[in-house]
């Protein structure tokens, strides 16, 4: 990682810089260490002109309230775009997983014929998300579906379908995070079920650590990542758009 990344972020994406600071500030104790000193120590090549600029100080103060960051294991290398998904808080990550799972299995909504199954799925997802699946959601993931195991017959009813929606949504976020550094994963504010989903239903192109092991796995990872980014910015939290390329 080079200081050029930070200079570019400050020039073009100040919202991303503020989000990075806020991410590293989670759990900071009052009166903690100096944020600028920590940034200098943990970002090789970061110069004093960057660290001491009034603009940086204003963003630090606005993002943390005190300008202090926690000392243990800071993480600043968000040059690789998928890592910026880690900046989401727990609620945003959970909602994204649910929307992804809904879009993934939306084609099966129209196959529900029993009224009780329809009502059960609608109650589980909520009226808005159920309507999303019936309408535009079914068109938003396309070929990504081939990387997930098809539904078994017993899962095509309301309760079974809602369970797979949640499982595969969590699985998608887990796969996205599988290639991130341990230091980044350790700082995530997401629920555990989003980081260690079941192995069932994952393409054989993924290894024991849910990481892609061959070209098919790399293609699946890219498809899942691009699908998550699309749904985040279009359906879940459009306000994050300034933080992505």
């Amino acid at each position: 990682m080079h200081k050029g990344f930070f200079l570019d972020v400050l020039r073009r994406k100040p919202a991303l810089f503020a989000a990075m600071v806020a991410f590293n500030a989670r759990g900071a104790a009052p009166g903690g260490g100096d944020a600028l000193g920590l940034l200098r120590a943990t970002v090789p090549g970061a110069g004093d002109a960057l660290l001491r600029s009034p603009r940086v100080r204003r963003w630090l103060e606005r993002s943390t309230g005190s300008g202090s960051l926690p000392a243990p294991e800071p993480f600043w290398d968000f040059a690789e775009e998928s890592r910026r998904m880690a900046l989401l808080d727990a609620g945003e990550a959970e909602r994204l997983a649910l929307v992804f799972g809904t879009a993934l299995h939306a084609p099966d909504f129209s196959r529900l014929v029993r009224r009780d199954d329809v009502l059960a799925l609608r109650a589980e997802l909520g009226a808005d998300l159920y309507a999303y699946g019936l309408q535009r959601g079914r068109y938003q993931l396309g070929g990504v579906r081939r990387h997930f195991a098809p539904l078994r017959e017993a899962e095509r009813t309301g309760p079974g379908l809602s369970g797979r929606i949640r499982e595969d949504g969590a699985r998608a976020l887990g796969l996205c995070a599988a290639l991130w550094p341990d230091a980044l994963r350790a700082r995530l504010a997401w629920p555990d079920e989003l980081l260690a989903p079941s192995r069932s239903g994952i393409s054989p192109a993924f290894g024991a650590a849910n990481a892609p092991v061959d070209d098919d796995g790399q293609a699946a990872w890219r498809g899942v990542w691009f699908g998550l980014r699309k749904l985040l910015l279009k359906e879940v939290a459009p306000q994050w758009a300034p933080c992505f390329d």
Side-chain angles (χ1 to χ4, degrees), residues 3 5 10-12 23-24 26 35 38 76 102 109 116 133 142 156 178 186 194 204 210 227-228 242:
K3 68 178 181 180
F5 166 68
L10 283 169
R11 183 172 62 251
R12 297 192 307 111
F23 176 77
N24 279 288
R26 287 173 185 165
L38 178 59
W76 298 98
T102 298
F109 284 23
D116 287 349
R156 293 184 183 276
L194 297 186
N210 290 346
L228 286 168

Side-chain angles (χ1 to χ4, degrees), residues 17-30 32-33 35 38 59-76 78 87 187 189:
F17 184 83
M20 290 161 53
V21 171
F23 176 77
N24 279 288
R26 287 173 185 165
L38 178 59
W59 279 317
L60 285 171
E61 292 168 0
R62 184 164 61 246
S63 298
T64 69
S66 64
S68 297
L69 299 180
E73 293 296 325
F75 188 90
W76 298 98
F78 290 94
L87 301 172
R187 278 193 166 272

Side-chain angles (χ1 to χ4, degrees), residues 121-131:
L121 184 62
R122 183 186 172 97
E124 177 68 22
L125 298 180
D128 290 347
L129 198 55
Y130 178 76

Side-chain angles (χ1 to χ4, degrees), residues 153-174:
E153 188 62 33
E155 294 170 326
R156 293 184 183 276
T157 60
L161 179 56
S162 64
R164 275 297 299 273
I165 285 171
R166 292 185 180 279
E167 290 174 5
D168 283 341
R171 187 169 294 122
L173 280 182

